[in-house]
Amino acid sequence: MTAAFRLSGPILRHAGGVVLVGLLGALCIFAALRLGPGDPALTALGEGATPASVAAYRARWGLDQPWPVQFAAWFLPALHGDFGTSIAVASGIPVSRLIAERLPVTVFVGAYALVIATTTALVFGAVAARWRGRWPDSLATTLAVLGVAMPDFWVAYLLIGSLAFGLGLFPSFGYVPPSVSLTGALSSATLPALAIAAPMAASFTRILRAALIEESLSEHVRVARALGHPGRFIFLHHVLRNALIPFVTVVGLQVRYLLGGTVVIERIFGLPGLGALMVDAAFARDYPLVQACALVFLLGVLVANLATDGLCALLDPRRS
């Protein structure tokens, strides 16, 4: 069975679910904004707005239409990548253009954080499982517990105080695009990525440690040892490969935290990413912009879940 065939099974099986979840998610995003407090017209025009100016504003942006009409006017063009125009943050500018400018920042920092979190977890999880019950295990477990207990914004301020202001190793604010300077981009994204990665790395370490220990004590591993297979072969082909299945599943589930964490972290470090744009749009009651940002985050989670199913199918052919 080829790798492409293994991947096609779970992807086709979940494709219908992805479409349904995407539609329900879009409905929830739309309804939450309409049911929430605040009025885009009053927010944009101020408390001194007259009833006539408020009515004119609502008519201009289609906010006076019934909700089903507003939803159809937004969602149907969105299927083709047209999210309308911003009504407050950048009035008249296409939302797709604003997202295209901000999304690369969020993707770069998020990918950087994911690399840090998975690499750290693989090292600490393997060390803890290899020396189970000894001081390396205790050290890795203690660090994992601390990482889970610390909120990402607290880690962010701790990193700013120590590595930015204390040692001066990294900038505490701003962002340099990779197109300008790759080293500058990595330097400016290191502290935000570390703040996002710390809680995830702690969670990943605990999961991987438990999976490695469970696999190392399983029946097929004992049989492999009795047959005289080398320890490294047993670890790579029987222990690590099976332990990676729950690890990959948890990594895929944590992508939603990864995307949600950027909303706070981008504000703290002054990153011009999609999370910061969404916060600005929410405060300005910019409905089209908030809806589009939330939909992009939702699609990111759905794509990550599909990729997770595909990777699990590659690691375990029984899931194909």
Side-chain angles (χ1 to χ4, degrees):
M1 183 180 295
T2 64
F5 184 79
R6 290 184 196 171
L7 283 172
S8 63
I11 290 176
L12 292 176
R13 192 163 54 246
H14 294 293
V18 168
V19 174
L20 180 60
V21 172
L23 177 59
L24 291 176
L27 276 171
C28 291
I29 294 167
F30 179 87
L33 285 173
R34 272 31 180 211
L35 293 173
D39 185 321
L42 294 177
T43 303
L45 300 175
E47 296 182 355
T50 63
S53 62
V54 170
Y57 186 92
R58 288 174 175 162
R60 178 188 176 190
W61 297 109
L63 300 173
D64 57 344
Q65 299 295 317
W67 284 11
V69 176
Q70 291 187 45
F71 179 76
W74 165 66
F75 186 69
L76 294 179
L79 294 176
H80 305 284
D82 180 8
F83 296 103
T85 57
S86 170
I87 65 174
V89 173
S91 183
I93 303 296
V95 169
S96 56
R97 195 168 104 193
L98 296 173
I99 290 177
E101 293 172 353
R102 299 294 194 98
L103 185 59
V105 180
T106 300
V107 171
F108 182 78
V109 175
Y112 194 7
L114 194 60
V115 170
I116 293 174
T118 52
T119 303
T120 304
L122 286 170
V123 173
F124 278 75
V127 167
R130 171 65 179 81
W131 285 280
R132 179 165 58 99
R134 301 170 68 178
W135 71 265
D137 182 22
S138 301
L139 177 62
T141 303
T142 302
L143 291 176
V145 171
L146 287 175
V148 171
M150 292 189 297
D152 52 5
F153 68 88
W154 190 84
V155 176
Y157 288 120
L158 189 66
L159 292 172
I160 290 174
S162 58
L163 299 183
F165 293 152
L167 300 177
L169 296 177
F170 302 101
S172 63
F173 197 82
Y175 177 74
V176 178
S179 58
V180 175
S181 168
L182 182 58
T183 55
L186 291 173
S187 178
S188 62
T190 293
L191 294 187
L194 285 173
I196 297 171
M200 289 197 305
S203 177
F204 295 168
T205 299
R206 290 159 58 94
I207 295 295
L208 186 62
R209 174 188 176 275
L212 287 172
I213 291 174
E214 182 180 352
E215 288 298 327
S216 65
L217 299 176
S218 61
E219 185 69 26
H220 68 279
V221 171
R222 286 202 293 268
V223 171
R225 289 198 183 105
L227 293 174
H229 291 302
R232 179 174 297 181
F233 176 84
I234 294 174
F235 177 77
L236 292 176
H237 291 80
H238 295 289
V239 177
L240 182 61
R241 180 167 182 166
N242 290 334
L244 284 179
I245 296 173
F247 177 71
V248 169
T249 302
V250 172
V251 170
L253 292 175
Q254 287 292 316
V255 169
R256 66 174 183 270
Y257 165 78
L258 181 73
L259 296 174
T262 60
V263 175
V264 177
I265 297 302
E266 286 178 3
R267 297 294 289 184
I268 294 175
F269 289 96
L271 302 179
L274 195 61
L277 179 65
M278 187 174 173
V279 172
D280 292 339
F283 279 114
R285 301 295 186 272
D286 194 333
Y287 285 172
L289 194 49
V290 177
Q291 290 168 175
C293 291
L295 193 59
V296 170
F297 280 131
L298 175 63
L299 291 177
V301 172
L302 295 177
V303 170
N305 286 337
L306 269 182
T308 301
D309 289 339
L311 283 174
C312 289
L314 286 177
L315 293 170
D316 185 0
R318 293 171 299 180
R319 296 192 175 197
S320 302

